[in-house]
Amino acid sequence: MRDIDVLCFGETMAMFVAEESGDLARVERFGKRIAGADSNVAIGLSRLGFKVSWLSRVGDDSLGRFVLDSLIREGLDCRHVQIDPAHPTGFQLKSRETDGSDPKVEYFRRGSAASHLSIADLAPDLLQARHLHATGIPPALSESCRALSRELMECMRSAGRSLSFDPNLRPSLWPSQARMVSEINALAALAHWVLPGLEEGRLLTGYDSPADIAAFYLERGVEAVVIKLGPEGAYYRTADSEGRINGVPVAQVVDTVGAGDAFAVGVISALLEGRSFPQALKRGNAFGSRAVQCIGDMEGLPHRHELSEEPQPQNA
């Protein structure tokens, strides 16, 4: 699999999005889509022309077939997605908000097929990808997923591949906040680029300012830290430079879910193309602004032809 640019892994769920606003208990009509931070990034990179391999598990059920068909249509290499006959595909319900506030999401993922991902699912050829993107969600799902996350990150780092890591904190999935902080920071230290949100960074490091949050990870061997500041834009810091890029104004926020994933797609794709950090953050901000103007977690992610002013990615 030397032709694979990026390896992503984790859980893709079926998502039922309310077609009307109000309490989910009273909503009668839902649209069916897919959701999952890790696969959102995989899809975004695929749309930009990168060859992306996806490692996951789905249940041997209709939702699993729907998820897998959707990922394949998006161009992901799903040869290493396992069909699990013993555990179901996870799903979620998502509310429709009309005032720009965060939608309410209810998850039905405990014991899902993807939560049973383990090191046994890791095929050697997957490690030939030139970049690994990981998040803090798989390690929150189960001990076996946590072991897989560490194994993948350690192997890719040892092999000289580049790694990006988005904490994507899910406190409700962890036994305690202290355990979450410890495990997530240990994984973040294995990455080259770490992409926390500001509040995530404050929780994980105990520091308040973007500069101090970034310094925390730089001291642990990370090469660059990119901090999402929401509508205010983003901040970056490396060993020898730092900067802040303003956000892109949006007239109307439709759906905030997926904005961070879109930002990650922009930043990671630009860095893999050899662009500078200011250029990467500018693209990330632009992608994030697109995402909040669309219903759905990944529907606003652009295709390469929509970036006609930019050259094609190198080695993609």
Side-chain angles (χ1 to χ4, degrees), residues 70-105:
S70 299
L71 295 173
I72 291 172
R73 281 198 303 271
E74 288 289 349
L76 301 191
D77 178 351
C78 293
R79 287 178 290 174
H80 294 284
V81 175
Q82 302 296 320
I83 308 298
D84 187 334
H87 304 99
T89 304
F91 69 95
Q92 63 176 252
L93 302 179
K94 180 179 176 182
S95 70
R96 173 72 59 90
E97 304 300 328
T98 58
D99 60 359
S101 60
D102 293 342
K104 299 174 181 63
V105 180

Side-chain angles (χ1 to χ4, degrees), residues 12-20 22-25 27-36 61-64 66-67 89-96 103-108 255 295-297 299:
T12 307
M13 292 170 284
M15 176 172 66
F16 297 92
V17 184
E19 295 186 349
E20 56 196 75
D23 186 346
L24 283 170
V27 172
E28 296 183 354
R29 293 183 297 277
F30 293 83
K32 187 168 66 170
R33 306 176 186 231
I34 61 171
D61 48 40
S62 60
L63 292 183
F66 168 69
V67 164
T89 304
F91 69 95
Q92 63 176 252
L93 302 179
K94 180 179 176 182
S95 70
R96 173 72 59 90
K104 299 174 181 63
V105 180
E106 295 184 4
Y107 295 94
F108 301 83
D255 187 344
I295 293 293
D297 292 14
E299 278 71 9

Side-chain angles (χ1 to χ4, degrees), residues 64-292:
R65 293 192 295 275
F66 168 69
V67 164
L68 189 54
D69 288 346
S70 299
L71 295 173
I72 291 172
R73 281 198 303 271
E74 288 289 349
L76 301 191
D77 178 351
C78 293
R79 287 178 290 174
H80 294 284
V81 175
Q82 302 296 320
I83 308 298
D84 187 334
H87 304 99
T89 304
F91 69 95
Q92 63 176 252
L93 302 179
K94 180 179 176 182
S95 70
R96 173 72 59 90
E97 304 300 328
T98 58
D99 60 359
S101 60
D102 293 342
K104 299 174 181 63
V105 180
E106 295 184 4
Y107 295 94
F108 301 83
R109 70 193 309 179
R110 186 178 300 277
S112 67
S115 72
H116 289 81
L117 271 167
S118 70
I119 293 175
D121 294 310
L122 180 54
D125 57 352
L126 289 170
L127 302 177
Q128 299 304 309
R130 68 184 181 99
H131 181 81
L132 171 69
H133 178 65
T135 79
I137 298 176
L141 296 178
S142 66
E143 292 288 349
S144 65
C145 284
R146 196 169 307 138
L148 172 64
S149 297
R150 175 167 288 278
E151 179 74 7
L152 261 175
M153 294 184 74
E154 289 179 343
C155 287
M156 292 291 276
R157 180 102 189 199
S158 297
R161 317 298 188 203
S162 59
L163 283 76
S164 53
F165 182 78
D166 187 336
N168 244 312
L169 299 182
R170 297 293 189 272
S172 64
L173 297 178
W174 290 92
S176 70
Q177 179 174 300
R179 177 73 183 277
M180 176 180 72
V181 169
S182 174
E183 295 282 0
I184 293 296
N185 282 337
L187 291 173
L190 295 171
H192 298 95
W193 314 324
V194 177
L195 293 78
L198 180 59
E199 293 307 317
E200 288 180 325
R202 288 170 172 167
L203 177 59
L204 289 169
T205 69
Y207 293 106
D208 187 67
S209 73
D212 288 340
I213 293 168
F216 174 91
Y217 290 110
L218 293 175
E219 291 168 0
R220 286 158 176 76
V222 173
E223 293 182 2
V225 181
V226 175
I227 300 177
K228 293 165 279 189
L229 305 176
E232 302 304 312
Y235 166 89
Y236 78 92
R237 184 173 179 181
T238 68
D240 53 14
S241 67
E242 65 177 330
R244 182 167 175 163
I245 304 298
N246 291 331
V248 177
V250 172
Q252 181 180 6
V253 174
V254 176
D255 187 344
T256 58
V257 178
D261 304 329
F263 177 85
V265 171
V267 170
I268 294 166
S269 63
L271 294 177
L272 290 178
E273 293 167 18
R275 298 177 185 273
S276 68
F277 278 95
Q279 290 172 324
L281 269 64
K282 183 178 180 180
R283 185 188 281 183
N285 288 340
F287 282 19
S289 71
R290 288 176 57 108
V292 300

